[in-house]
Amino acid sequence: MTSLPLLQAALTGFFVGLGLIIAIGAQNAFVLRQGLARTHVLPVVAICAASDAILIVAGVAGLGTLVRSSPILLQVATYSGALFLACYGLYAFRRAAAPSALEAAQEVKTGLSATIATCLAFTFLNPHVYLDTVVLVGSISATFEGSARVAFGAGAAFASLIWFTVLGFGARFASPLFAKPSAWRVLDLVIGIVMTALALSLVLSSPKS
C-alpha cells in the first residue's frame, strides 16, 4: 500500500470515528441528558472521550500491529473494514429514510459518583463500543504504516473528544435541533456518503498480494 500523508490518515480516522459515534444510542442520550441538566457535564465528557481513546489505542497498538504483521490478515482486515463501512453507510441511508429524534429528559440530578458509575456502565457494558473501537478502528488502522497509523488513531480519538464535548456542553443550544427528525436525516445522509466513500477508498488502496 502506498503510504498516505499524515493529515489524510488523520482525517480518515476522524471521519471513521465520527461516523461510528454519531448515532442515537444510550450513551449519547445519557451525555445529552447531563448536558441539558448542566449536571457533571465535564466528568461525563472526559470519561466518554478518554474511554474511547484508551480503546482506540488498544485497537491500533494491539490488533492493528497483529494484523499488520500478516499480509493475509491485512487483506482480510482491509476488505472486511470496507464491507463494514459500506454496510454502515447503507444503514445510515436507511436511518435517513425514517429518521427519529433524540429525546432527553432534563430532570437529571444524580450525585457525581452515581453519574460516573452510570457513564462507565453505558461505555464499557456496551459490546458495540468494542466492535467500533478495538476491532474496526484497530483493523482499519493496520492499512496504514508507521506514523500514519498513529495519525489515524489520533484522528479517531479526536473525533470522539469533539463529539462528546459538543454533545455535552452544547446540549442547551442544540436540544431543539436534536429533537427534529429532519436534522438527523441530513446528518445520516452525510454519514452514509462519508462511510461509502471511505469504504471505496480502502478497497482502492488495499494491499496487493
Side-chain angles (χ1 to χ4, degrees):
M1 171 187 164
T2 303
S3 296
L4 295 173
L6 295 183
L7 179 59
Q8 186 175 350
L11 287 174
T12 301
F14 180 84
F15 286 116
V16 167
L18 200 61
L20 292 173
I21 198 173
I22 297 178
I24 297 177
Q27 186 187 47
N28 281 340
F30 175 74
V31 176
L32 181 61
R33 284 197 299 268
Q34 295 300 133
L36 290 172
R38 305 181 189 182
T39 305
H40 312 306
V41 179
L42 179 59
V44 167
V45 169
I47 289 172
C48 290
S51 298
D52 272 11
I54 291 172
L55 292 172
I56 288 170
V57 168
V60 172
L63 185 59
T65 299
L66 175 64
V67 171
R68 187 76 206 176
S69 66
S70 170
I72 295 178
L73 285 178
L74 182 55
Q75 283 194 329
V76 171
T78 299
Y79 290 109
S80 297
L83 178 61
F84 184 93
L85 290 174
C87 291
Y88 196 93
L90 291 175
Y91 179 60
F93 287 133
R94 182 180 177 182
R95 288 200 311 262
S100 55
L102 183 55
E103 299 178 354
Q106 298 194 33
E107 49 277 358
V108 182
K109 294 298 181 181
T110 56
L112 178 59
S113 59
T115 299
I116 290 176
T118 303
C119 185
L120 291 172
F122 275 128
T123 300
F124 291 103
L125 296 183
N126 176 16
H128 196 266
V129 72
Y130 299 99
L131 174 63
D132 286 350
T133 55
V134 178
V135 178
L136 180 60
V137 174
S139 296
I140 295 178
S141 74
T143 65
F144 297 89
E145 299 176 358
S147 56
R149 179 146 58 97
V150 176
F152 174 87
F158 185 63
S160 177
L161 174 62
I162 292 297
W163 171 250
F164 285 123
T165 299
V166 171
L167 189 60
F169 290 101
R172 73 186 73 170
F173 308 108
S175 55
L177 179 63
F178 282 112
K180 296 179 180 178
S182 58
W184 287 99
R185 172 178 282 118
V186 173
L187 187 58
D188 281 325
L189 282 174
V190 172
I191 290 174
I193 293 171
V194 169
M195 288 303 192
T196 302
L198 289 174
L200 181 60
S201 174
L202 271 183
V203 172
L204 293 177
S205 61
S206 64
K208 303 301 186 294
S209 57

